[in-house]
PDB file of all heavy atoms in Angstrom:
ATOM      1  N   ILE A1145      52.135  -3.732  21.225  1.00  0.00           N
ATOM      2  CA  ILE A1145      51.987  -3.718  22.689  1.00  0.00           C
ATOM      3  C   ILE A1145      51.721  -2.297  23.179  1.00  0.00           C
ATOM      4  O   ILE A1145      50.825  -2.057  23.994  1.00  0.00           O
ATOM      5  CB  ILE A1145      53.234  -4.320  23.355  1.00  0.00           C
ATOM      6  CG1 ILE A1145      53.304  -5.823  23.048  1.00  0.00           C
ATOM      7  CG2 ILE A1145      53.234  -4.069  24.865  1.00  0.00           C
ATOM      8  CD1 ILE A1145      54.633  -6.461  23.389  1.00  0.00           C
ATOM      9  N   LEU A1146      52.482  -1.337  22.669  1.00  0.00           N
ATOM     10  CA  LEU A1146      52.272   0.065  23.044  1.00  0.00           C
ATOM     11  C   LEU A1146      50.918   0.570  22.553  1.00  0.00           C
ATOM     12  O   LEU A1146      50.216   1.298  23.271  1.00  0.00           O
ATOM     13  CB  LEU A1146      53.396   0.932  22.474  1.00  0.00           C
ATOM     14  CG  LEU A1146      54.769   0.752  23.108  1.00  0.00           C
ATOM     15  CD1 LEU A1146      55.846   1.377  22.241  1.00  0.00           C
ATOM     16  CD2 LEU A1146      54.795   1.338  24.511  1.00  0.00           C
ATOM     17  N   PHE A1147      50.536   0.186  21.339  1.00  0.00           N
ATOM     18  CA  PHE A1147      49.259   0.615  20.773  1.00  0.00           C
ATOM     19  C   PHE A1147      48.099   0.068  21.601  1.00  0.00           C
ATOM     20  O   PHE A1147      47.118   0.775  21.856  1.00  0.00           O
ATOM     21  CB  PHE A1147      49.165   0.154  19.315  1.00  0.00           C
ATOM     22  CG  PHE A1147      47.934   0.620  18.590  1.00  0.00           C
ATOM     23  CD1 PHE A1147      47.732   1.968  18.321  1.00  0.00           C
ATOM     24  CD2 PHE A1147      46.988  -0.286  18.147  1.00  0.00           C
ATOM     25  CE1 PHE A1147      46.602   2.399  17.642  1.00  0.00           C
ATOM     26  CE2 PHE A1147      45.860   0.131  17.465  1.00  0.00           C
ATOM     27  CZ  PHE A1147      45.663   1.480  17.209  1.00  0.00           C
ATOM     28  N   ASP A1148      48.205  -1.178  22.040  1.00  0.00           N
ATOM     29  CA  ASP A1148      47.165  -1.763  22.879  1.00  0.00           C
ATOM     30  C   ASP A1148      47.067  -0.999  24.200  1.00  0.00           C
ATOM     31  O   ASP A1148      45.967  -0.714  24.682  1.00  0.00           O
ATOM     32  CB  ASP A1148      47.453  -3.249  23.113  1.00  0.00           C
ATOM     33  CG  ASP A1148      46.290  -3.959  23.769  1.00  0.00           C
ATOM     34  OD1 ASP A1148      45.164  -3.894  23.236  1.00  0.00           O
ATOM     35  OD2 ASP A1148      46.506  -4.592  24.825  1.00  0.00           O
ATOM     36  N   ALA A1149      48.195  -0.633  24.782  1.00  0.00           N
ATOM     37  CA  ALA A1149      48.199   0.150  26.023  1.00  0.00           C
ATOM     38  C   ALA A1149      47.577   1.524  25.798  1.00  0.00           C
ATOM     39  O   ALA A1149      46.828   2.026  26.650  1.00  0.00           O
ATOM     40  CB  ALA A1149      49.630   0.289  26.550  1.00  0.00           C
ATOM     41  N   TYR A1150      47.865   2.131  24.650  1.00  0.00           N
ATOM     42  CA  TYR A1150      47.272   3.427  24.294  1.00  0.00           C
ATOM     43  C   TYR A1150      45.756   3.324  24.258  1.00  0.00           C
ATOM     44  O   TYR A1150      45.035   4.154  24.820  1.00  0.00           O
ATOM     45  CB  TYR A1150      47.832   3.883  22.937  1.00  0.00           C
ATOM     46  CG  TYR A1150      47.135   5.075  22.347  1.00  0.00           C
ATOM     47  CD1 TYR A1150      47.451   6.361  22.760  1.00  0.00           C
ATOM     48  CD2 TYR A1150      46.151   4.915  21.368  1.00  0.00           C
ATOM     49  CE1 TYR A1150      46.819   7.460  22.221  1.00  0.00           C
ATOM     50  CE2 TYR A1150      45.512   6.011  20.822  1.00  0.00           C
ATOM     51  CZ  TYR A1150      45.845   7.284  21.255  1.00  0.00           C
ATOM     52  OH  TYR A1150      45.208   8.371  20.715  1.00  0.00           O
ATOM     53  N   ARG A1151      45.248   2.287  23.609  1.00  0.00           N
ATOM     54  CA  ARG A1151      43.798   2.094  23.509  1.00  0.00           C
ATOM     55  C   ARG A1151      43.178   1.860  24.889  1.00  0.00           C
ATOM     56  O   ARG A1151      42.098   2.363  25.174  1.00  0.00           O
ATOM     57  CB  ARG A1151      43.483   0.934  22.568  1.00  0.00           C
ATOM     58  CG  ARG A1151      43.885   1.240  21.118  1.00  0.00           C
ATOM     59  CD  ARG A1151      43.497   0.131  20.157  1.00  0.00           C
ATOM     60  NE  ARG A1151      42.040   0.076  20.050  1.00  0.00           N
ATOM     61  CZ  ARG A1151      41.251  -0.845  20.609  1.00  0.00           C
ATOM     62  NH1 ARG A1151      41.754  -1.829  21.303  1.00  0.00           N
ATOM     63  NH2 ARG A1151      39.948  -0.782  20.455  1.00  0.00           N
ATOM     64  N   GLN A1152      43.887   1.130  25.738  1.00  0.00           N
ATOM     65  CA  GLN A1152      43.388   0.905  27.091  1.00  0.00           C
ATOM     66  C   GLN A1152      43.325   2.213  27.879  1.00  0.00           C
ATOM     67  O   GLN A1152      42.390   2.435  28.654  1.00  0.00           O
ATOM     68  CB  GLN A1152      44.263  -0.110  27.823  1.00  0.00           C
ATOM     69  CG  GLN A1152      44.110  -1.523  27.300  1.00  0.00           C
ATOM     70  CD  GLN A1152      45.070  -2.469  27.984  1.00  0.00           C
ATOM     71  OE1 GLN A1152      44.976  -2.664  29.189  1.00  0.00           O
ATOM     72  NE2 GLN A1152      45.998  -3.031  27.211  1.00  0.00           N
ATOM     73  N   PHE A1153      44.319   3.091  27.679  1.00  0.00           N
ATOM     74  CA  PHE A1153      44.320   4.401  28.334  1.00  0.00           C
ATOM     75  C   PHE A1153      43.028   5.154  28.015  1.00  0.00           C
ATOM     76  O   PHE A1153      42.497   5.877  28.846  1.00  0.00           O
ATOM     77  CB  PHE A1153      45.545   5.210  27.887  1.00  0.00           C
ATOM     78  CG  PHE A1153      45.607   6.587  28.470  1.00  0.00           C
ATOM     79  CD1 PHE A1153      46.136   6.790  29.737  1.00  0.00           C
ATOM     80  CD2 PHE A1153      45.144   7.687  27.760  1.00  0.00           C
ATOM     81  CE1 PHE A1153      46.187   8.068  30.288  1.00  0.00           C
ATOM     82  CE2 PHE A1153      45.196   8.968  28.300  1.00  0.00           C
ATOM     83  CZ  PHE A1153      45.726   9.155  29.567  1.00  0.00           C
TER      84      PHE A1153
END
Side-chain angles (χ1 to χ4, degrees):
I1145 292 167
L1146 290 165
F1147 184 66
D1148 190 55
Y1150 170 81
R1151 294 184 68 255
Q1152 289 176 63
F1153 178 84

